[in-house]
Structures are given as C-alpha cells and as structure tokens.
C-alpha cells in the first residue's frame, strides 16, 4: 500500500491523464456528429456522464484532497459502470467498444491503488471491485434480451476466467508499479510533495531568506561596530602616545619638539608643525617646531615662509579650521612645490595670553576626512600640555624676575653671574657691568608717596629692559632703586655710548602727578673687564664704586671705574 503522499501524487497524475483521454473521446464523438451519418444518443449520454464524473474526480483530487478513500472508490466505481455500459451497448460501434474497454482497464488499474494488494483478502476485494461493473452490466443486458440460462451460465464461467486473468495481470502490474515507483524514488531521490507541503516549504524558504537578510544586516552592523571600535582603539593609542610625549618635558621648546615628533609618527603623517604665540606681561614670545618626511618634499624655503609670526597670526585671527582634502600644495602658497595633498590647519586658544596654530599634512588624499571629533580631542590634549609648559615657564619666571619691573632679580643674577664671568674668560672676550641708582629716591617717596615711587622704579626697569634687549645686555633690579645691566662682549667705550643714550632718555622723561610735571635723574657707574678692572671678582664692586663716585661728584652723571676713583 502506497503512503498517502505517494498515493495523492499518483491520483493527481491519473486524474490529469483521465482529463486528457476524456477530451480526446469528446473530440472523437463530435467529429462523428459533425461529419458522420450516425447519431449515437446512448453513447453520447454515457460519455457526458463519464465526463462529469471525471471532472468531479479532478476537482476532488486537486482541490479537495481531504476526502476519504470510500468516496474515491465510489467515484472510480461509477466511472467503471459508465465505461462498461458504453462497451457493452448492443448498438455501439466497434471503435467505441474498444475505447471504452481500454479506458475500463485503465481505471481498473487506477482503482487498485486504493487497495492494499499485499494482503490476500484485499486482493479479492480489488478483483471484485474491478470486475463486478462489467459483469453487472453484462447480466443486465442478457436479462433484458431474454437469453437462455445455459448461455448465462457459459458467460458467467467465461467472465470468471477472464476475471482470474485480469486479477493476475492487475496484481502483477500493481506490484511492478510499486517496485518501479520505489526504485525511481531510491535512485533519483525524488520526493512526492503535496501542495500543502510545497506551500510550507515556500513559507520556510521565505522565512530563511528573511533571516539571512536580517543576518546580513546584523553582520554589516557588526562590521561597522568593529571598525568603529578599531578606530577608537587606534585613536586612544595615538592620544596615549602624545600624552606620554607631553610628559617628557616642561620646557616649551623641548615640549613642542616631542609633540611634533610623536604626532607625526603615531598618526603616520608627512608634515606636522606647531606654532605658539605668547604675550606674558608685555613680553612677546614666538615658538615653533616642525617635522616632515622625505616623501613630502617639504623644503627649507617652505618652512621659512610658514614658521613666521605673520603666517601664524593670519590663521589665528581668522579663527576658522582649514581642511583641504586634496591638492593642498596648490591651494596654500607656502606649500608650493611639495607633495602634500591633505592639510588640516587648526587655530587654538591655549590661555588668555597664548594662541596656537596646529598644522597636519599628508601626501594622501582625504587623510583627515571624518576625523573632526578625534582631532578636536587630540588638539585639546596638546593645548593642555602646552599650557602646562607655559604655566611652568611663568612660575619659573616669577622666581627669577622682579614682580614690579619684569626684569631679572638679584637672586637670579647671583646664580648666573659666575657662569657669565667664566664664559668671558674662556672666550677671552670683554665684560662690562653698569650699575645705576635713582637720585634722591627717598625724597621722591616722601614727597609723592610710594605709589609714585613704584611708578618711577617700574619706568627705570622697563627702560633698562629695552636697552638690554636692544644691545644684548642683561638687565637686573639689584635692589631698591638700584639696577644693573651686564653687557658681554662690549668695551667701555661702547657701553658708555649706550649709557649716555639711556641717561638722556630717563632724565628727560616727565612724570605727571596731580597736575605736576616731575623729572628724575640717575647716577651711573661703569666697570669693564679686563679694560679697567683686571680682577673679575672685583668687577661688580668696581661698578658700585664708580656709581658711588657719580653720586659723590654731584649725581646725574656717568663715571667709568679706575683704580684711583676712590682716592
């Protein structure tokens, strides 16, 4: 017995064959009606009934396959009756009889699949089912034609013999069909799938496709997330490298060198330059550091045009970030002749007195695309490190400079004085020290107050600072109203000329105090090694003695030290 799945497949195939065969029979009868001389009413009625049964069977098998086996057997039995009727009609044509009998055997073969012919009793029922329709039609025909009992007996015996032969043939054919069907399935692996199972497979397939699509989306999202994690890890690594570089130095110049080197190596760049502008208490400072690779083709001429105050101030004042993804060497004049394609120029506020300009370059295009957040964070770290260096420098400056005048104090002078002397001795170069004092400063304080006195001291200190910078001297507030300026590599005559200029400027300066015009004067002493002081240890005392001589001889004058000055 076939499984219900295999049986349904066979039933659908047989149903399709029955429809085709029935269509051919109808065409056959129509041709006889249209072109023949006979009009076979009984045959046409029988064929019409058979067509109706075949159509019902087709509908049930293909669209209503849940009906039970008994209903299937009823439909097959009706088909056999109609075919037997057509075959045994006394008025049927020979061709009609042959067609009907052939169809009868085909439907009989189909009916055998409804029985389990592997069991003896089921085989008997299968033979009775397939033989009884034609036998029944035959007996009815004999009775209707009043045939003798003997003839009926002979016919019955003949039908039994024919039935036995049909029984054997149909059983063998059924067994052969079952073996053939199983063999085909085992060889080709073809599974009989019902319409419901096919629909179920399609649904499962659609679900699998949706799952695969969702997995593809999730895989893409995972890939993106993984790329973001890798990028973040790389950025953290770069920031750690730069932070470690920032911890190596507190001196601003050294710090910039470490930062530019670490930034270029960690970010795999071809050009890095940091420019810093500071203005601490009126003292302007410009520091810079640059690094570049050989592949960048950056030349000294490019750096000379970029490492300038004017270049830095132009971008700092503009305040906008400049990012160029390609052909930066054509868009920035200072990079002309280089291989720099991508460029990022970011101005930064370091503190209230300091500004920075950070420049990153690469020979690759789009090197800084979509890196705004990372660069902003990176530059914040760099600015913080630079600000710490500036604060350290400021604290160190406060320790060595006078708070009122902004020039070096006596403690700093004492710490470097011996090194200055040793350098001059080693280089066999002259060293001149001038010492000047504000005349009658106590009277100025007593008359106009200490605030005015501080203003006078501040002015004298700033004047000493300007002349020190102008002529490569070291100005120092030695104490109270006394000032020192050290001039390495200058002779007495050169220093005297400078001091005459300074003296004239100070004594002609007018201070305004409560609608009063007030002037001051200074006394100056000059001592020079080895010109008029052979002993370096006595050089400072010699300058002090020369200044004292200026005061003794009427103040407001310049005195050059000689060995007889104290006589």
């Amino acid at each position: 017995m076939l499984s219900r799945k295999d049986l349904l497949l066979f039933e659908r195939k047989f149903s399709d064959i029955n429809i085709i065969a029935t269509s051919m029979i109808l065409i056959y009868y129509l041709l006889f009606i249209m072109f023949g001389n006979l009009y076979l009413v009984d045959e046409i009625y029988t064929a019409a009934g058979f067509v109706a049964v075949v159509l019902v069977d087709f509908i049930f098998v293909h669209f209503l396959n849940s009906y039970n086996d008994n209903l299937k057997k009823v439909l097959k039995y009706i088909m056999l009756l109609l075919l037997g009727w057509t075959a045994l009609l006394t008025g049927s044509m020979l061709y009609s009889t042959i067609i009907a009998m052939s169809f009868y055997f085909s439907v009989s073969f189909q009916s055998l699949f409804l029985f389990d012919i592997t069991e003896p009793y089921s085989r008997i029922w299968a033979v009775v089912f397939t033989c009884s329709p034609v036998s029944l039609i035959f007996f009815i025909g004999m009775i209707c034609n009043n045939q003798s009992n003997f003839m009926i007996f002979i016919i019955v015996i003949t039908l039994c013999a024919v039935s036995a032969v049909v029984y054997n043939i149909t059983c063998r054919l059924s067994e052969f069909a079952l073996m053939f069907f199983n063999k085909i399935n085992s060889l080709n692996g073809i599974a009989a799938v019902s319409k419901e199972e096919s629909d179920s497979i399609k649904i499962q397939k659609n679900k699998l496709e949706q799952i695969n699509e969702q997995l593809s989306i999730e895989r893409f999202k995972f890939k993106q997330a993984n790329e973001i994690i890798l990028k973040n890890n790389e950025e953290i690594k770069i920031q750690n490298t730069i932070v470690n570089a920032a911890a190596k130095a507190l001196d601003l110049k050294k710090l910039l060198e470490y930062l530019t080197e670490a930034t270029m190596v960690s970010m795999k760049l071809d050009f890095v330059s940091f420019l810093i502008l500071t203005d601490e208490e009126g003292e302007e400072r410009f520091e810079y550091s640059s690094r570049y690779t050989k592949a960048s083709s950056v030349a000294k001429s490019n750096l000379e045009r970029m490492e300038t105050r004017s270049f830095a101030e132009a971008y700092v004042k503009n305040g906008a970030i400049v990012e160029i993804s390609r052909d930066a060497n054509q868009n920035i004049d200072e990079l002309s002749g280089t291989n720099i394609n991508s460029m990022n120029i970011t101005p930064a506020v370091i503190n209230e007195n300091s500004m920075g300009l950070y420049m990153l370059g690469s020979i690759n295009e789009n090197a800084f695309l979509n890196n705004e957040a990372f660069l902003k964070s990176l530059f914040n770290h760099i600015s913080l490190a630079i600000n710490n260096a500036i604060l350290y420098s400021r604290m160190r400056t406060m320790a060595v400079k006078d708070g009122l005048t902004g020039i070096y104090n006596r403690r700093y002078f004492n710490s470097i004085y011996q090194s200055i002397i040793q350098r001059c001795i080693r280089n066999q170069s002259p060293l001149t020290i001038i010492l000047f004092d504000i005349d009658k400063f106590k009277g100025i304080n007593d008359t106009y107050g200490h605030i005015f006195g501080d203003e006078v001291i501040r002015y004298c200190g700033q004047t000493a600072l300007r002349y020190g910078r102008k002529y490569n001297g070291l100005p120092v507030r030695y104490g109270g109203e006394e000032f020192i300026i050290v001039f390495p590599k200058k002779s007495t005559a050169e220093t005297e000329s400078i001091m005459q200029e300074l003296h004239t400027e100070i004594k002609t300066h007018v201070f305004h105090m409560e609608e009063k015009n007030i002037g001051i004067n200074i006394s100056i002493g000059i001592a020079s090694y080895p010109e008029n002081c052979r002993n370096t240890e006595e050089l400072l005392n010699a300058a002090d003695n020369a200044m004292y001589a200026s005061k003794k001889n009427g103040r407001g004058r310049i005195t050059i030290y000689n060995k007889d000055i104290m006589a």
Side-chain angles (χ1 to χ4, degrees):
M1 186 69 177
L2 291 175
S3 65
R4 297 195 64 83
K5 181 172 63 176
D6 296 337
L7 180 60
L8 180 59
L9 181 63
F10 268 98
E11 287 176 350
R12 287 179 175 175
K13 295 295 183 182
F14 289 143
S15 178
D16 296 338
I17 294 171
N18 292 342
I19 286 291
I20 295 172
T22 305
S23 301
M24 295 176 67
I25 292 172
L26 287 176
I27 293 172
Y28 167 74
Y29 281 121
L30 288 173
L31 290 173
F32 264 97
I33 292 172
M34 294 174 63
F35 303 105
N37 297 321
L38 297 176
Y39 188 71
L40 305 176
V41 177
D42 291 336
E43 291 186 22
I44 292 173
Y45 286 161
T46 304
F50 180 75
V51 170
V53 176
V54 169
L55 288 174
V56 171
D57 179 70
F58 180 83
I59 292 171
F60 271 101
V61 168
H62 283 278
F63 303 104
L64 302 171
N65 53 27
S66 61
Y67 63 95
N68 57 36
D69 293 341
N70 292 328
L71 183 56
K72 297 177 185 178
K73 292 176 182 178
V74 169
L75 289 172
K76 297 295 183 184
Y77 199 79
I78 293 172
M79 293 169 67
L80 292 173
L81 284 174
L82 292 172
L83 290 170
W85 176 262
T86 304
L88 297 177
L89 277 175
T90 55
S92 294
M93 295 186 298
L94 178 61
Y95 295 133
S96 298
T97 301
I98 294 172
I99 293 172
M101 290 306 295
S102 299
F103 216 152
Y104 186 93
F105 281 109
S106 174
V107 176
S108 297
F109 178 75
Q110 298 172 25
S111 302
L112 291 177
F113 287 94
L114 299 174
F115 297 90
D116 186 4
I117 59 176
T118 60
E119 297 180 358
Y121 292 107
S122 184
R123 288 186 181 184
I124 294 172
W125 279 111
V127 171
V128 172
F129 184 86
T130 56
C131 295
S132 61
V134 70
S135 300
L136 182 61
I137 297 299
F138 185 82
F139 278 118
I140 292 174
M142 292 296 294
I143 293 171
C144 292
N145 292 327
N146 296 318
Q147 299 291 333
S148 63
N149 290 333
F150 177 75
M151 182 62 69
I152 293 172
F153 176 75
I154 296 300
I155 292 172
V156 168
I157 294 299
T158 303
L159 286 175
C160 287
V162 171
S163 298
V165 173
V166 170
Y167 169 79
N168 264 317
I169 293 172
T170 53
C171 286
R172 299 304 176 190
L173 288 174
S174 297
E175 290 176 355
F176 175 76
L178 285 173
M179 289 189 295
F180 179 77
F181 183 82
N182 291 332
K183 188 67 176 177
I184 292 297
N185 278 347
S186 63
L187 291 176
N188 299 324
I190 300 175
V193 182
S194 66
K195 185 176 184 300
E196 290 80 2
E197 290 175 333
S198 178
D199 293 340
S200 176
I201 290 175
K202 289 181 180 179
I203 292 172
Q204 294 298 326
K205 181 181 178 182
N206 291 334
K207 288 182 178 179
L208 286 175
E209 289 177 351
Q210 291 177 355
I211 292 172
N212 285 334
E213 184 178 354
Q214 187 64 32
L215 285 175
S216 298
I217 295 173
E218 294 299 327
R219 193 182 303 113
F220 178 74
K221 289 181 178 179
F222 178 78
K223 183 179 178 182
Q224 284 185 320
N226 189 50
E227 289 176 352
I228 292 172
I229 291 172
L230 291 176
K231 183 180 178 182
N232 289 339
N233 288 339
E234 184 65 22
E235 291 175 352
I236 291 171
K237 183 179 178 182
I238 292 171
Q239 287 189 356
N240 287 338
T241 301
I242 293 173
V243 168
N244 291 334
K248 292 182 179 180
L250 282 172
D251 178 73
L252 182 58
K253 191 170 185 62
K254 283 287 185 184
L255 175 65
L256 291 179
E257 291 176 358
Y258 287 134
L259 288 176
T260 52
E261 181 70 21
T263 302
M264 190 175 77
V265 173
S266 61
M267 294 184 66
K268 299 179 177 62
L269 299 175
D270 296 285
F271 176 71
V272 177
S273 184
F274 294 161
L275 312 179
I276 308 300
L277 299 169
T278 60
D279 185 1
E280 295 287 341
E281 298 181 355
E283 183 179 352
E284 293 184 347
R285 186 178 177 187
F286 178 57
E287 295 287 351
Y288 55 86
S289 178
S290 300
R291 292 287 185 276
Y292 55 90
T293 63
K294 187 176 180 180
S296 67
S297 295
V298 173
K300 186 177 180 181
S301 58
N302 299 115
L303 295 179
E304 288 175 350
R305 297 167 65 187
M306 298 178 73
E307 294 175 342
T308 62
R309 180 181 295 273
S310 59
F311 179 86
E313 287 178 343
Y315 282 95
V316 168
K317 288 179 180 178
N318 184 41
I321 297 174
V322 177
E323 185 171 309
I324 302 173
S325 298
R326 58 181 299 177
D327 298 330
N329 49 9
Q330 298 179 20
N331 291 283
I332 300 176
D333 293 338
E334 289 77 7
L335 290 174
S336 178
T338 68
N339 294 328
I340 301 298
N341 264 311
S342 301
M343 195 73 181
N344 181 283
I345 303 176
T346 301
V349 177
I350 297 173
N351 56 44
E352 66 277 8
N353 298 313
S354 304
M355 301 291 291
L357 186 66
Y358 309 136
M359 295 184 287
L360 310 179
S362 174
I363 62 175
N364 301 315
E365 296 181 358
N366 302 316
F368 309 104
L369 196 63
N370 300 323
N371 278 340
E372 292 85 356
F374 166 66
L375 291 178
K376 182 179 180 181
S377 175
L378 177 66
F379 291 148
N380 285 339
H381 283 289
I382 292 174
S383 295
L384 180 61
I386 293 173
N387 186 48
N388 290 337
I390 293 173
L391 290 175
Y392 174 78
S393 177
R394 183 186 301 171
M395 291 175 61
R396 189 174 61 179
T397 299
M398 289 173 63
V400 299
K401 287 191 175 182
D402 175 59
L404 181 60
T405 62
I407 62 177
Y408 290 109
N409 56 29
R410 183 170 183 169
R411 181 171 58 183
Y412 176 73
F413 173 76
N414 291 336
S415 67
I416 67 168
Y417 179 57
Q418 289 300 321
S419 63
I420 294 174
I421 290 175
Q422 293 301 321
R423 186 163 57 248
C424 290
I425 294 174
R426 186 169 56 251
N427 297 332
Q428 295 182 354
S429 60
L431 176 64
T432 301
I433 293 180
I434 71 100
L435 195 151
F436 72 88
D437 180 88
I438 303 172
D439 293 336
K440 299 181 180 180
F441 183 73
K442 185 177 183 303
I444 293 173
N445 267 342
D446 293 342
T447 304
Y448 303 107
H450 290 282
I451 295 177
F452 180 77
D454 288 345
E455 184 181 347
V456 171
I457 291 175
R458 186 181 301 108
Y459 170 76
C460 291
Q462 289 297 309
T463 304
L465 178 62
R466 283 192 292 106
Y467 277 84
R469 287 177 177 174
K470 184 176 180 181
Y471 297 104
N472 297 320
L474 177 68
V476 178
R477 184 182 179 189
Y478 197 61
E481 66 275 17
E482 290 184 334
F483 297 87
I484 290 176
I485 304 179
V486 180
F487 289 104
K489 299 181 181 181
K490 282 193 169 41
S491 64
T492 302
E494 291 174 314
T495 307
E496 183 181 11
S497 175
I498 296 170
M499 286 301 100
Q500 286 175 352
E501 185 180 350
L502 180 144
H503 184 215
T504 301
E505 182 173 336
I506 290 178
K507 74 178 182 179
T508 58
H509 181 76
V510 178
F511 295 90
H512 302 283
M513 176 69 176
E514 297 178 355
E515 299 182 354
K516 295 179 181 179
N517 295 329
I518 304 169
I520 63 171
N521 209 335
I522 60 174
S523 297
I524 303 173
I526 301 175
S528 180
Y529 168 85
E531 187 175 351
N532 49 47
C533 182
R534 307 296 295 179
N535 190 347
T536 57
E537 298 298 328
E538 297 177 0
L539 185 61
L540 185 58
N541 288 332
D544 185 57
N545 290 335
M547 183 197 71
Y548 180 76
S550 293
K551 286 193 174 288
K552 183 179 177 182
N553 296 322
R555 297 185 178 89
R557 64 182 62 228
I558 299 173
T559 302
I560 298 174
Y561 174 78
N562 61 73
K563 63 181 179 178
D564 300 324
I565 197 170
M566 300 302 296

